[in-house]
Amino acid sequence: MKGHVWTVLAICDSIETYACYHCETTYRWGLPRLTGPPFMFEVKAERDVHVGLSSQDRDLDAMYEIVIGGWDNMRSVIRRSKQGLEHADVQIPDLLSKNEYRAFWITWSSDGTIAVGRGGETLPFMQWRDPNPLPINYAGLNTAWRNHGWWDLCRTARPEGL
């Protein structure tokens, strides 16, 4: 996996904390099976944080791709496939930081609604309803486009109401 280096930084409750260096095209899978929403994490990255939500523990043609802080930390999107059509697209600059961890959550529901929000906030900054929802059992992590990312799945606290 040339160009893809994952380093385990810590372990807590069977969930690991990762650092990703140049994880360009492949998600880091192998996290425990999701028991339901929300999926919460903290990440420190300059830009291009991607979360894959899949029915299997690997990249699939039909899976959700959440991009936070893409396009030089200016836009975030929800897609129904890797690099696919953008169904939700919001322009919020500086959601990410290369110097400090920022917390996020992702929820999904049986009606196909996927929502993405910031830690400490209960209202999403981005959401989309898929009229033909895909099953979600696993999450994959990716820091794209020659960007370094440090992921922490251990410290994130559930915001009130989620």
Side-chain angles (χ1 to χ4, degrees):
M1 293 178 64
K2 187 176 181 180
H4 300 266
V5 179
W6 281 96
T7 305
V8 176
L9 297 177
I11 297 175
C12 65
D13 298 327
S14 300
I15 297 177
E16 301 171 341
T17 302
Y18 303 95
C20 176
Y21 304 95
H22 304 297
C23 294
E24 293 293 319
T25 58
T26 305
Y27 280 88
R28 191 316 183 173
W29 298 96
L31 299 174
R33 184 183 174 104
L34 298 170
T35 58
F39 177 67
M40 298 178 298
F41 59 95
E42 293 185 11
V43 64
K44 181 168 53 171
E46 187 172 2
R47 65 187 185 287
D48 290 295
V49 163
H50 295 215
V51 176
L53 299 174
S54 179
S55 63
Q56 298 179 33
D57 197 18
R58 62 185 174 88
D59 288 17
L60 296 175
D61 290 336
M63 65 179 234
Y64 296 111
E65 181 173 57
I66 314 299
V67 178
I68 300 172
W71 296 268
D72 285 327
N73 203 10
M74 297 297 291
R75 290 174 53 203
S76 299
V77 301
I78 300 174
R79 300 174 174 146
R80 201 173 191 270
S81 62
K82 284 175 52 175
Q83 297 296 309
L85 179 68
E86 294 149 3
H87 294 284
D89 186 339
V90 298
Q91 295 189 17
I92 303 173
D94 302 321
L95 279 173
L96 301 172
S97 170
K98 68 179 181 177
N99 298 315
E100 66 182 26
Y101 281 95
R102 301 274 173 92
F104 297 94
W105 52 262
I106 301 170
T107 61
W108 55 94
S109 61
S110 60
D111 75 352
T113 301
I114 297 176
V116 183
R118 293 185 245 208
E121 297 179 5
T122 56
L123 294 177
F125 64 83
M126 176 173 64
Q127 70 180 24
W128 170 64
R129 184 181 173 278
D130 184 349
N132 188 20
L134 300 169
I136 296 173
N137 297 313
Y138 295 93
L141 311 176
N142 185 357
T143 312
W145 307 110
R146 297 197 168 122
N147 182 34
H148 299 301
W150 291 263
W151 297 76
D152 190 330
L153 308 178
C154 301
R155 295 183 297 179
T156 303
R158 180 186 299 251
E160 288 288 325
L162 287 184

PDB file of all heavy atoms in Angstrom, residues 1-8 18-24 28 148-149:
ATOM      1  N   MET A   1       0.828  -1.184   0.000  1.00  0.00           N
ATOM      2  CA  MET A   1       0.000   0.000   0.000  1.00  0.00           C
ATOM      3  C   MET A   1       0.869   1.242   0.000  1.00  0.00           C
ATOM      4  O   MET A   1       0.851   2.035   0.925  1.00  0.00           O
ATOM      5  CB  MET A   1      -0.930  -0.011   1.210  1.00  0.00           C
ATOM      6  CG  MET A   1      -1.975  -1.102   1.169  1.00  0.00           C
ATOM      7  SD  MET A   1      -3.016  -1.121   2.629  1.00  0.00           S
ATOM      8  CE  MET A   1      -3.816   0.454   2.479  1.00  0.00           C
ATOM      9  N   LYS A   2       1.618   1.401  -1.001  1.00  0.00           N
ATOM     10  CA  LYS A   2       2.509   2.544  -1.108  1.00  0.00           C
ATOM     11  C   LYS A   2       1.725   3.847  -0.972  1.00  0.00           C
ATOM     12  O   LYS A   2       0.708   4.051  -1.609  1.00  0.00           O
ATOM     13  CB  LYS A   2       3.231   2.505  -2.453  1.00  0.00           C
ATOM     14  CG  LYS A   2       4.290   3.562  -2.582  1.00  0.00           C
ATOM     15  CD  LYS A   2       5.026   3.407  -3.881  1.00  0.00           C
ATOM     16  CE  LYS A   2       6.118   4.466  -3.989  1.00  0.00           C
ATOM     17  NZ  LYS A   2       6.838   4.343  -5.230  1.00  0.00           N
ATOM     18  N   GLY A   3       2.215   4.723  -0.119  1.00  0.00           N
ATOM     19  CA  GLY A   3       1.568   6.007   0.084  1.00  0.00           C
ATOM     20  C   GLY A   3       0.479   5.979   1.140  1.00  0.00           C
ATOM     21  O   GLY A   3      -0.066   6.999   1.488  1.00  0.00           O
ATOM     22  N   HIS A   4       0.149   4.801   1.648  1.00  0.00           N
ATOM     23  CA  HIS A   4      -0.888   4.679   2.661  1.00  0.00           C
ATOM     24  C   HIS A   4      -0.237   4.189   3.942  1.00  0.00           C
ATOM     25  O   HIS A   4       0.173   3.042   4.027  1.00  0.00           O
ATOM     26  CB  HIS A   4      -1.960   3.680   2.250  1.00  0.00           C
ATOM     27  CG  HIS A   4      -2.637   4.059   0.980  1.00  0.00           C
ATOM     28  ND1 HIS A   4      -3.792   4.773   0.964  1.00  0.00           N
ATOM     29  CD2 HIS A   4      -2.311   3.828  -0.307  1.00  0.00           C
ATOM     30  CE1 HIS A   4      -4.170   4.966  -0.284  1.00  0.00           C
ATOM     31  NE2 HIS A   4      -3.281   4.402  -1.071  1.00  0.00           N
ATOM     32  N   VAL A   5      -0.140   5.030   4.929  1.00  0.00           N
ATOM     33  CA  VAL A   5       0.460   4.639   6.193  1.00  0.00           C
ATOM     34  C   VAL A   5      -0.518   4.958   7.310  1.00  0.00           C
ATOM     35  O   VAL A   5      -0.915   6.108   7.487  1.00  0.00           O
ATOM     36  CB  VAL A   5       1.794   5.379   6.437  1.00  0.00           C
ATOM     37  CG1 VAL A   5       2.392   4.973   7.762  1.00  0.00           C
ATOM     38  CG2 VAL A   5       2.766   5.132   5.311  1.00  0.00           C
ATOM     39  N   TRP A   6      -0.934   3.942   8.031  1.00  0.00           N
ATOM     40  CA  TRP A   6      -1.803   4.131   9.192  1.00  0.00           C
ATOM     41  C   TRP A   6      -0.998   3.761  10.422  1.00  0.00           C
ATOM     42  O   TRP A   6      -0.329   2.746  10.450  1.00  0.00           O
ATOM     43  CB  TRP A   6      -3.017   3.221   9.108  1.00  0.00           C
ATOM     44  CG  TRP A   6      -4.064   3.740   8.196  1.00  0.00           C
ATOM     45  CD1 TRP A   6      -4.249   3.412   6.894  1.00  0.00           C
ATOM     46  CD2 TRP A   6      -5.063   4.707   8.508  1.00  0.00           C
ATOM     47  NE1 TRP A   6      -5.303   4.098   6.363  1.00  0.00           N
ATOM     48  CE2 TRP A   6      -5.827   4.902   7.338  1.00  0.00           C
ATOM     49  CE3 TRP A   6      -5.405   5.424   9.648  1.00  0.00           C
ATOM     50  CZ2 TRP A   6      -6.903   5.772   7.286  1.00  0.00           C
ATOM     51  CZ3 TRP A   6      -6.465   6.282   9.591  1.00  0.00           C
ATOM     52  CH2 TRP A   6      -7.198   6.457   8.415  1.00  0.00           C
ATOM     53  N   THR A   7      -1.091   4.561  11.437  1.00  0.00           N
ATOM     54  CA  THR A   7      -0.410   4.307  12.688  1.00  0.00           C
ATOM     55  C   THR A   7      -1.436   4.285  13.803  1.00  0.00           C
ATOM     56  O   THR A   7      -2.229   5.216  13.937  1.00  0.00           O
ATOM     57  CB  THR A   7       0.621   5.416  12.987  1.00  0.00           C
ATOM     58  OG1 THR A   7       1.498   5.519  11.878  1.00  0.00           O
ATOM     59  CG2 THR A   7       1.396   5.109  14.238  1.00  0.00           C
ATOM     60  N   VAL A   8      -1.449   3.233  14.591  1.00  0.00           N
ATOM     61  CA  VAL A   8      -2.341   3.189  15.740  1.00  0.00           C
ATOM     62  C   VAL A   8      -1.712   4.028  16.855  1.00  0.00           C
ATOM     63  O   VAL A   8      -0.584   3.788  17.258  1.00  0.00           O
ATOM     64  CB  VAL A   8      -2.553   1.744  16.228  1.00  0.00           C
ATOM     65  CG1 VAL A   8      -3.418   1.733  17.482  1.00  0.00           C
ATOM     66  CG2 VAL A   8      -3.167   0.901  15.133  1.00  0.00           C
ATOM     67  N   TYR A  18      -6.200   6.675  15.194  1.00  0.00           N
ATOM     68  CA  TYR A  18      -5.333   6.482  14.048  1.00  0.00           C
ATOM     69  C   TYR A  18      -4.729   7.783  13.565  1.00  0.00           C
ATOM     70  O   TYR A  18      -5.333   8.836  13.678  1.00  0.00           O
ATOM     71  CB  TYR A  18      -6.128   5.883  12.882  1.00  0.00           C
ATOM     72  CG  TYR A  18      -6.801   4.593  13.223  1.00  0.00           C
ATOM     73  CD1 TYR A  18      -8.114   4.563  13.648  1.00  0.00           C
ATOM     74  CD2 TYR A  18      -6.101   3.401  13.132  1.00  0.00           C
ATOM     75  CE1 TYR A  18      -8.729   3.367  13.981  1.00  0.00           C
ATOM     76  CE2 TYR A  18      -6.710   2.202  13.454  1.00  0.00           C
ATOM     77  CZ  TYR A  18      -8.023   2.194  13.875  1.00  0.00           C
ATOM     78  OH  TYR A  18      -8.625   1.017  14.195  1.00  0.00           O
ATOM     79  N   ALA A  19      -3.578   7.655  12.971  1.00  0.00           N
ATOM     80  CA  ALA A  19      -2.996   8.756  12.202  1.00  0.00           C
ATOM     81  C   ALA A  19      -2.884   8.269  10.767  1.00  0.00           C
ATOM     82  O   ALA A  19      -2.529   7.125  10.520  1.00  0.00           O
ATOM     83  CB  ALA A  19      -1.625   9.125  12.731  1.00  0.00           C
ATOM     84  N   CYS A  20      -3.226   9.103   9.833  1.00  0.00           N
ATOM     85  CA  CYS A  20      -3.163   8.728   8.421  1.00  0.00           C
ATOM     86  C   CYS A  20      -2.253   9.698   7.693  1.00  0.00           C
ATOM     87  O   CYS A  20      -2.424  10.906   7.796  1.00  0.00           O
ATOM     88  CB  CYS A  20      -4.559   8.773   7.810  1.00  0.00           C
ATOM     89  SG  CYS A  20      -4.578   8.437   6.058  1.00  0.00           S
ATOM     90  N   TYR A  21      -1.315   9.158   6.960  1.00  0.00           N
ATOM     91  CA  TYR A  21      -0.407   9.973   6.166  1.00  0.00           C
ATOM     92  C   TYR A  21      -0.618   9.616   4.699  1.00  0.00           C
ATOM     93  O   TYR A  21      -0.345   8.493   4.294  1.00  0.00           O
ATOM     94  CB  TYR A  21       1.040   9.717   6.560  1.00  0.00           C
ATOM     95  CG  TYR A  21       1.285   9.947   8.020  1.00  0.00           C
ATOM     96  CD1 TYR A  21       1.241   8.903   8.917  1.00  0.00           C
ATOM     97  CD2 TYR A  21       1.508  11.227   8.502  1.00  0.00           C
ATOM     98  CE1 TYR A  21       1.442   9.113  10.265  1.00  0.00           C
ATOM     99  CE2 TYR A  21       1.711  11.452   9.852  1.00  0.00           C
ATOM    100  CZ  TYR A  21       1.680  10.383  10.726  1.00  0.00           C
ATOM    101  OH  TYR A  21       1.862  10.596  12.064  1.00  0.00           O
ATOM    102  N   HIS A  22      -1.120  10.540   3.929  1.00  0.00           N
ATOM    103  CA  HIS A  22      -1.319  10.343   2.500  1.00  0.00           C
ATOM    104  C   HIS A  22      -2.201   9.132   2.204  1.00  0.00           C
ATOM    105  O   HIS A  22      -1.854   8.292   1.385  1.00  0.00           O
ATOM    106  CB  HIS A  22       0.013  10.222   1.766  1.00  0.00           C
ATOM    107  CG  HIS A  22       0.898  11.390   1.986  1.00  0.00           C
ATOM    108  ND1 HIS A  22       0.564  12.664   1.587  1.00  0.00           N
ATOM    109  CD2 HIS A  22       2.096  11.495   2.595  1.00  0.00           C
ATOM    110  CE1 HIS A  22       1.533  13.491   1.931  1.00  0.00           C
ATOM    111  NE2 HIS A  22       2.463  12.814   2.543  1.00  0.00           N
ATOM    112  N   CYS A  23      -3.328   9.022   2.865  1.00  0.00           N
ATOM    113  CA  CYS A  23      -4.287   7.945   2.589  1.00  0.00           C
ATOM    114  C   CYS A  23      -5.198   8.434   1.487  1.00  0.00           C
ATOM    115  O   CYS A  23      -6.275   8.949   1.737  1.00  0.00           O
ATOM    116  CB  CYS A  23      -5.047   7.594   3.851  1.00  0.00           C
ATOM    117  SG  CYS A  23      -3.971   6.873   5.089  1.00  0.00           S
ATOM    118  N   GLU A  24      -4.758   8.273   0.267  1.00  0.00           N
ATOM    119  CA  GLU A  24      -5.364   8.927  -0.882  1.00  0.00           C
ATOM    120  C   GLU A  24      -6.664   8.314  -1.354  1.00  0.00           C
ATOM    121  O   GLU A  24      -7.658   9.000  -1.506  1.00  0.00           O
ATOM    122  CB  GLU A  24      -4.380   8.911  -2.054  1.00  0.00           C
ATOM    123  CG  GLU A  24      -3.168   9.762  -1.828  1.00  0.00           C
ATOM    124  CD  GLU A  24      -3.484  11.230  -1.767  1.00  0.00           C
ATOM    125  OE1 GLU A  24      -4.301  11.705  -2.558  1.00  0.00           O
ATOM    126  OE2 GLU A  24      -2.921  11.913  -0.913  1.00  0.00           O
ATOM    127  N   ARG A  28      -9.706   3.420   5.392  1.00  0.00           N
ATOM    128  CA  ARG A  28      -9.174   2.553   6.441  1.00  0.00           C
ATOM    129  C   ARG A  28     -10.399   1.901   7.077  1.00  0.00           C
ATOM    130  O   ARG A  28     -11.206   2.545   7.735  1.00  0.00           O
ATOM    131  CB  ARG A  28      -8.394   3.380   7.445  1.00  0.00           C
ATOM    132  CG  ARG A  28      -7.539   2.660   8.479  1.00  0.00           C
ATOM    133  CD  ARG A  28      -8.137   1.517   9.120  1.00  0.00           C
ATOM    134  NE  ARG A  28      -7.265   0.943  10.133  1.00  0.00           N
ATOM    135  CZ  ARG A  28      -7.657  -0.010  10.938  1.00  0.00           C
ATOM    136  NH1 ARG A  28      -8.861  -0.499  10.865  1.00  0.00           N
ATOM    137  NH2 ARG A  28      -6.833  -0.493  11.817  1.00  0.00           N
ATOM    138  N   HIS A 148      -2.400  15.058   5.807  1.00  0.00           N
ATOM    139  CA  HIS A 148      -2.201  14.287   7.038  1.00  0.00           C
ATOM    140  C   HIS A 148      -3.430  14.430   7.914  1.00  0.00           C
ATOM    141  O   HIS A 148      -4.014  15.505   8.002  1.00  0.00           O
ATOM    142  CB  HIS A 148      -0.996  14.811   7.822  1.00  0.00           C
ATOM    143  CG  HIS A 148       0.295  14.721   7.086  1.00  0.00           C
ATOM    144  ND1 HIS A 148       0.825  13.548   6.619  1.00  0.00           N
ATOM    145  CD2 HIS A 148       1.172  15.678   6.719  1.00  0.00           C
ATOM    146  CE1 HIS A 148       1.968  13.780   6.023  1.00  0.00           C
ATOM    147  NE2 HIS A 148       2.202  15.070   6.050  1.00  0.00           N
ATOM    148  N   GLY A 149      -3.800  13.344   8.587  1.00  0.00           N
ATOM    149  CA  GLY A 149      -4.929  13.404   9.490  1.00  0.00           C
ATOM    150  C   GLY A 149      -4.689  12.544  10.711  1.00  0.00           C
ATOM    151  O   GLY A 149      -4.083  11.486  10.628  1.00  0.00           O
TER     152      GLY A 149
END
